Amino acid sequence: MTAEFDEDRFNMAIRKFLKLVGVTSQREIENLVRSGEVKSGKLKLRMTLSAEGTPLNHVVEETVAL
């Protein structure tokens, strides 16, 4: 990080990104469940976070009961 790094601005930008991911992801999951395409009583979800040009590859998995 450089001396020019503005931590507050960076944190706000990350929070904005995560809020967008959360809101849009929830909407997509809800649409999928409402469509009737999920036949079992649970949904195994996986979210992968990557950052272009970096080695970042963070995977979160969770099974959600319907």
Side-chain angles (χ1 to χ4, degrees), residues 14-49:
I14 293 297
R15 287 178 185 202
K16 181 178 178 182
F17 170 75
L18 291 173
K19 182 177 180 180
L20 177 62
V21 168
V23 169
T24 58
S25 297
Q26 181 173 350
R27 187 176 306 130
E28 290 298 318
I29 293 165
E30 289 172 347
N31 288 339
L32 175 69
V33 171
R34 286 187 186 116
S35 75
E37 293 195 38
V38 179
K39 303 301 181 195
S40 67
K42 60 185 176 180
L43 187 61
K44 185 173 181 180
L45 301 170
R46 177 183 306 118
M47 180 69 71
T48 303
L49 175 65

